[in-house]
Amino acid sequence: IQNHQSYGTRAAASPRVRRAGRGDGASSVLRAAGVTRAAAAAKAEASAESGVDVVERLASASPAHDAVERWIVFSDLHVSKRTMETCKEVLQKVHDEAVATRAGVLFLGDFWHARGAIPVEPLNEALALMSSTKWTAPTIMIPGNHDQVTAGGYSHALTPLAASNANILVFDGPTLYNGALWLPYRRNADVLKRAIQDCRGEFNAIFCHADVVGASMNETFQARDGLDPALFGGANTYTG
């Protein structure tokens, strides 16, 4: 996780400054009820591909999500057949700590490793571990580039996780919720830039899956491409 004001932060206080009013954009929350809103999703997909993505202003997600005061933040699990055992250990530890500290969980993209297809065995194991009876912590996820199937980003492989557990919400489009702006990966970076500009003054934190110029990718490499940190306007920013 890159916190572009304080690198290495793993738990963040809930960004609770104001509640945004509900807007008219297509809903970006996938609920366990399985309502897909196919027509709205297709329209949103086409808009995202063309560089236009309407920001959803979400006043409330669920009583459990709305009540969270602290979040445990992680990303880039990259689940595959080869990594499944390690990933299960990470997921279990994250959830155990969330329960112990009464925190919510934020996942900032790239849950899966192979883009476009989910291996059956890892999918079954992930669904078993993150079922509603075992994964009880309120959780918000955003898709990363490895999770997405389509260029616009609205078709992605986090859908089965959200569909199987009401505690898991997926924001598959730019979403303003609980004083924070949530930005899933977009191949067209202009989509993210417009979302930030359109919501200026309405958020005090950004959670996204994006490259940021100057971010430390590891101990020796800093990103040269991506979003300019000045775009964030001083907001606490966490990226996967």
Side-chain angles (χ1 to χ4, degrees):
I1 299 296
Q2 303 291 340
N3 174 350
H4 299 289
Q5 287 195 343
S6 178
Y7 286 75
T9 298
R10 59 185 302 275
S14 176
R16 189 181 299 268
V17 171
R18 62 182 65 83
R19 287 294 176 84
R22 184 180 298 277
D24 297 325
S27 175
S28 58
V29 181
L30 294 175
R31 300 186 184 278
V35 179
T36 60
R37 302 180 185 178
K43 182 178 180 180
E45 179 74 35
S47 296
E49 288 186 22
S50 66
V52 179
D53 214 347
V54 177
V55 176
E56 171 81 3
R57 285 169 167 80
L58 192 66
S60 177
S62 77
H65 288 81
D66 295 348
V68 173
E69 296 291 342
R70 294 182 63 81
W71 300 91
I72 294 175
V73 185
F74 75 122
S75 75
D76 291 87
L77 201 57
H78 288 276
V79 175
S80 67
K81 289 182 179 180
R82 182 176 61 83
T83 64
M84 189 68 238
E85 291 306 311
T86 299
C87 291
K88 286 166 61 177
E89 292 178 13
V90 172
L91 286 168
Q92 190 63 60
K93 186 168 183 61
V94 167
H95 186 260
D96 289 348
E97 185 163 344
V99 172
T101 59
R102 298 183 180 180
V105 175
L106 303 182
F107 183 79
L108 302 186
D110 284 357
F111 186 90
W112 304 103
H113 183 65
R115 180 172 180 169
I118 309 176
V120 174
E121 295 86 352
L123 173 60
N124 288 339
E125 292 193 62
L127 289 174
L129 181 62
M130 302 182 75
S131 68
S132 58
T133 58
K134 293 183 178 180
W135 192 275
T136 58
T139 300
I140 295 175
M141 306 178 77
I142 59 174
N145 53 305
H146 281 253
D147 302 313
Q148 294 174 346
V149 177
T150 53
Y154 278 87
S155 179
H156 56 77
L158 300 184
T159 304
L161 301 178
S164 66
N165 188 342
N167 298 312
I168 299 174
L169 300 181
V170 176
F171 293 152
D172 54 12
T175 302
L176 192 64
Y177 166 64
N178 210 5
L181 183 60
W182 310 78
L183 301 173
Y185 176 80
R186 288 295 182 263
R187 185 171 65 177
N188 186 343
D190 288 340
V191 170
L192 305 185
K193 294 176 183 178
R194 289 192 186 97
I196 294 171
Q197 293 165 348
D198 289 348
C199 299
R200 186 75 69 194
E202 298 183 70
F203 59 84
N204 75 325
I206 298 174
F207 296 94
C208 61
H209 191 95
D211 291 329
V212 177
V213 175
S216 297
M217 308 302 288
N218 53 44
E219 293 181 355
T220 60
F221 179 74
Q222 287 187 311
R224 298 177 181 177
D225 300 314
L227 302 177
D228 186 337
L231 185 65
F232 304 139
N236 292 310
T237 301
Y238 303 81
T239 73

